[in-house]
Amino acid sequence: MGLLSGLLGLASDVDVEAVRRDLEPMLLPNEEIDLAFAVVRDLIIFTSHRLILVDKQGLTGRKREIHSIPYRSVTMFSVETAGTFETDAELRIWISSQSAPLTREISRGSNLSGIQRALAEGILGRK
């Protein structure tokens, strides 16, 4: 495991080795996957260099949109928790040079505090 997971003491919601095998072609030679969280069908992946968001699309989920965001490009993030009658929380990530945030729905059962802590460590702990 990398520095991020060691500092936070968080367990991933998904098997990091399976994610590593899946993303191997796009990872840098010295890049490690620290944490990975499942958000419905999608993934939020924290590596030693960047944040990777995998948006699985279509009926089978074989079509994917992958966002690769260097930590230095994230200017701010927010998490809106689910209310009493709401089922989903919302994660917003502002990226430098983009006016609108990148928004993801997060299901109520997801590790919301783990995602927030990992984002804070990735963004603030690496500057």
Side-chain angles (χ1 to χ4, degrees):
M1 282 287 151
L3 174 66
L4 180 64
S5 58
L7 287 173
L8 297 176
L10 296 173
S12 293
D13 285 342
V14 296
D15 180 15
V16 172
E17 283 306 314
V19 173
R20 185 185 328 280
R21 285 190 302 274
D22 188 39
L23 296 180
E24 190 76 41
M26 69 178 286
L27 295 176
L28 298 171
N30 63 342
E31 187 172 17
E32 293 183 39
I33 294 178
D34 294 323
L35 293 168
F37 294 96
V39 179
V40 188
R41 292 191 330 170
D42 302 337
L43 296 172
I44 299 176
I45 302 157
F46 297 90
T47 78
S48 53
H49 293 79
R50 59 189 158 163
L51 173 65
I52 299 173
L53 303 175
V54 179
D55 181 10
K56 294 182 180 179
Q57 302 172 354
L59 199 54
T60 63
R62 295 187 70 117
K63 180 179 177 182
R64 302 182 301 173
E65 181 177 8
I66 299 173
H67 292 269
S68 176
I69 307 164
Y71 292 119
R72 69 179 179 279
S73 297
V74 177
T75 58
M76 182 173 72
F77 69 90
S78 71
V79 175
E80 180 180 309
T81 59
T84 304
F85 299 108
E86 299 170 316
T87 58
D88 293 333
E90 192 169 79
L91 169 67
R92 292 183 197 95
I93 301 171
W94 282 264
I95 302 166
S96 59
S97 77
Q98 292 187 356
S99 58
L102 189 63
T103 304
R104 291 287 183 267
E105 294 291 321
I106 301 175
S107 62
R108 186 182 290 271
S110 296
N111 186 348
L112 197 56
S113 60
I115 293 170
Q116 290 181 80
R117 287 179 59 194
L119 265 171
E121 178 62 33
I123 296 163
L124 302 172
R126 298 182 196 279
K127 291 190 176 188

